[in-house]
Amino acid sequence: MEDNMAKVAVLGYGTVGSGVVEVLDTNAAEVSKSAGEALEVKYILDLRDFPGDKHEAQVVHDIDVILNDPEVEVICETMGGIEPALTFEKRALEAGKSVCTSNKELVAAHGPELVELAEKNNVSYLFEASVGGGIPLLRSLNDSLKHEKVDSITGILNGTTNYILTKMDKEGAAFETVLKKAQEKGYAERNPEADVEGYDACRKIAILASLMSGKHVHYEDIYTEGITKINIHDFEYARALNMSIKLLAMCKKNENGFFTMVAPFLVPYENPLASVNGVFNAISIHGNMLGDVMFYGKGAGKNATASAVVADVIDIVKHKGKHIEINMKAEKAVLSPKDNAVRNFFVRVSDDLEEQAREVFGNGVEVVKRNSIHGEFAFVTEPISEKDFEEKLWKMDSVKGYIRLY
Ligand code: HSE
């Protein structure tokens, strides 16, 4: 009897990998309807054995078993990290197998060269799950929005930091207290650096910026600030200004090309990004004809992320024998410096510096005082370039903190 099931291999049977297998099992009928044929997980690569697992017979420890099997058409790399994932992905593409992955670290660092390698071998390299977890974002950019001139992408791309900021805002709790609770609940890693310092959001906006520009935006070139300096007083002032504080990752076209950055921003309540709370992600895209469109959903979690990986598998099976084009070349993108970006800034200083604030930043500053906060006040500058702001800030005798306004 002819077996016309498409054969899939999953590399890494951790959270996302086991989620992929679970989605393929649970939604087998829907998956097969969507792909036009049934899918079978033929192999699962992991260092460990999984005695008693429904799929224990599929577990292998040697990548060559998978790469040498001509039946395997699609490889889901859900291992994470750079090596050995990069070597495995390259070898798979060279062996004529399509690859899909949730590995944002790898896609940010090597995605464009892997897309080119896939094209050379007439297979596909897809990475929907690497940004925004389960949100169908990259496919929308690559398909429904392909005819648009996208000039701006702004997103809340990290669930952990959005959870922390939301808790600080709603419960008035300090950063360290909320971080500890988030770690206890499994919303934050034991080593939270990648999330709270903005590195995770930086990788994700690097991928989006690469897709927007068609070139490789190196994440090392992206100006990145995390949320560790935000404290509860900032939220008190923010509420008085009718604003939330969000870690935004953005990529915007400007007269010099485009620039991209990750930093905490004060976001006015009327902007929908201000209402995105907890672990949720949201991405706002502006196209020249479309205007604004916003995507919202779970940016992390086993099933949501796995669902996005399976969407890639289906796309690949539907495009058998063809390379799915992705707008991302290995040529390095040159980013314009953030210096010329003009915006308002929120600044906190000690209460004896009101006169100096006006002298340095002009009489147009908006002063914000809270009875509950002693010994200091805040002000919002008029629109000013990043460069000018930095220069003026040095002229102040002391500064307790500042945040950009979106
Ligand atoms: N730590 C990441 C987040 C996981 O919080 O969004 C998903 O990439």
Side-chain angles (χ1 to χ4, degrees):
M1 198 176 73
E2 198 194 338
D3 171 9
N4 62 356
M5 282 182 138
K7 303 287 193 290
V8 178
V10 175
L11 313 188
Y13 204 34
T15 307
V16 181
S18 61
V20 169
V21 175
E22 200 178 315
V23 173
L24 290 170
D25 282 347
T26 310
N27 285 14
E30 291 77 11
V31 168
S32 117
K33 198 169 173 202
S34 177
E37 64 184 291
L39 305 191
E40 182 197 327
V41 177
K42 187 163 182 185
Y43 301 108
I44 296 166
L45 180 80
D46 205 285
L47 292 170
R48 301 162 292 178
D49 286 311
F50 294 86
D53 187 282
K54 187 179 164 194
H55 290 276
E56 75 170 299
Q58 276 86 63
V59 175
V60 295
H61 307 300
D62 180 0
I63 185 71
D64 288 317
V65 173
I66 297 169
L67 298 179
N68 292 333
D69 184 337
E71 275 198 339
V72 175
E73 293 172 37
V74 192
I75 299 216
C76 304
E77 188 273 290
T78 51
M79 304 163 66
I82 300 291
E83 285 295 358
L86 174 61
T87 303
F88 290 175
E89 289 191 5
K90 276 187 176 166
R91 289 187 59 204
L93 295 168
E94 281 160 353
K97 300 177 190 311
S98 289
V99 173
C100 52
T101 186
S102 54
N103 188 340
K104 65 205 156 202
E105 200 186 343
L106 181 56
V107 176
H110 298 281
E113 67 182 92
L114 291 162
V115 169
E116 288 188 358
L117 186 60
E119 186 175 11
K120 208 169 125 197
N121 289 282
N122 198 36
V123 288
S124 298
Y125 185 69
L126 301 180
F127 39 89
E128 180 64 75
S130 65
V131 185
I135 304 171
L137 175 64
L138 305 194
R139 188 157 289 102
S140 302
L141 272 171
N142 197 42
D143 186 0
S144 311
L145 304 180
K146 205 167 188 172
H147 61 287
E148 282 287 325
K149 294 185 204 296
V150 172
D151 50 33
S152 153
I153 300 178
T154 307
I156 294 170
L157 297 177
N158 182 268
T160 302
T161 46
N162 205 48
Y163 172 86
I164 294 172
L165 292 174
T166 303
K167 283 277 173 194
M168 288 174 76
D169 190 6
K170 307 283 180 233
E171 294 175 9
F175 172 78
E176 291 300 341
T177 314
V178 179
L179 173 61
K180 203 157 161 273
K181 267 197 197 152
Q183 285 169 319
E184 280 162 16
K185 286 191 166 181
Y187 292 156
E189 304 278 341
R190 207 169 303 164
N191 177 359
E193 196 188 10
D195 292 316
V196 299
E197 296 294 355
Y199 306 151
D200 174 81
C202 169
R203 302 298 187 280
K204 292 168 177 166
I205 197 68
I207 296 170
L208 292 175
S210 297
L211 287 169
M212 185 171 141
S213 67
K215 295 182 180 165
H216 189 181
V217 173
H218 288 216
Y219 64 82
E220 302 92 330
D221 294 345
I222 298 177
Y223 177 83
T224 302
E225 265 180 39
I227 63 162
T228 53
K229 292 190 195 122
I230 304 293
N231 73 24
I232 47 171
H233 289 335
D234 292 317
F235 286 100
E236 286 193 57
Y237 289 116
R239 279 192 290 277
L241 289 162
N242 290 320
M243 294 185 190
S244 293
I245 301 172
K246 298 291 175 195
L247 182 69
L248 297 184
M250 60 183 67
C251 175
K252 288 184 189 290
K253 275 197 183 142
N254 58 20
E255 61 284 0
N256 304 316
F258 68 102
F259 90 99
T260 169
M261 78 186 300
V262 176
F265 276 78
L266 280 156
V267 184
Y269 286 155
E270 60 265 25
N271 186 314
L273 288 170
S275 318
V276 174
N277 289 322
V279 292
F280 281 89
N281 282 193
I283 301 95
S284 174
I285 298 179
H286 186 268
N288 66 325
M289 292 293 136
L290 174 72
D292 289 312
V293 65
M294 191 161 144
F295 296 80
Y296 171 89
K298 275 196 189 159
K302 175 176 167 168
N303 288 349
T305 310
S307 178
V309 176
V310 170
D312 282 346
V313 177
I314 292 170
D315 211 3
I316 286 166
V317 171
K318 276 160 82 175
H319 291 87
K320 233 177 240 197
K322 285 194 195 127
H323 166 73
I324 300 171
E325 200 195 309
I326 305 287
N327 183 36
M328 210 169 172
K329 297 278 176 256
E331 182 189 341
K332 188 179 191 296
V334 181
L335 305 179
S336 63
K338 72 172 181 12
D339 294 5
N340 298 331
V342 173
R343 59 179 102 256
N344 306 83
F345 288 81
F346 161 89
V347 188
R348 282 172 51 199
V349 292
S350 55
D351 55 9
D352 54 334
L353 294 183
E354 194 168 335
E355 205 177 309
Q356 190 180 57
R358 292 187 196 283
E359 265 166 35
V360 174
F361 286 95
N363 280 325
V365 297
E366 178 190 349
V367 170
V368 193
K369 292 185 179 169
R370 306 305 295 151
N371 289 337
S372 51
I373 307 176
H374 303 292
E376 63 163 84
F377 74 101
F379 62 92
V380 176
T381 69
E382 291 189 298
I384 180 172
S385 74
E386 290 263 355
K387 188 165 181 278
D388 288 349
F389 174 73
E390 210 170 292
E391 277 171 18
K392 286 181 192 288
L393 207 60
W394 280 108
K395 295 187 181 148
M396 297 296 297
D397 286 345
S398 76
V399 173
K400 290 179 187 290
Y402 69 89
I403 308 174
R404 296 168 176 84
L405 263 67
Y406 188 62

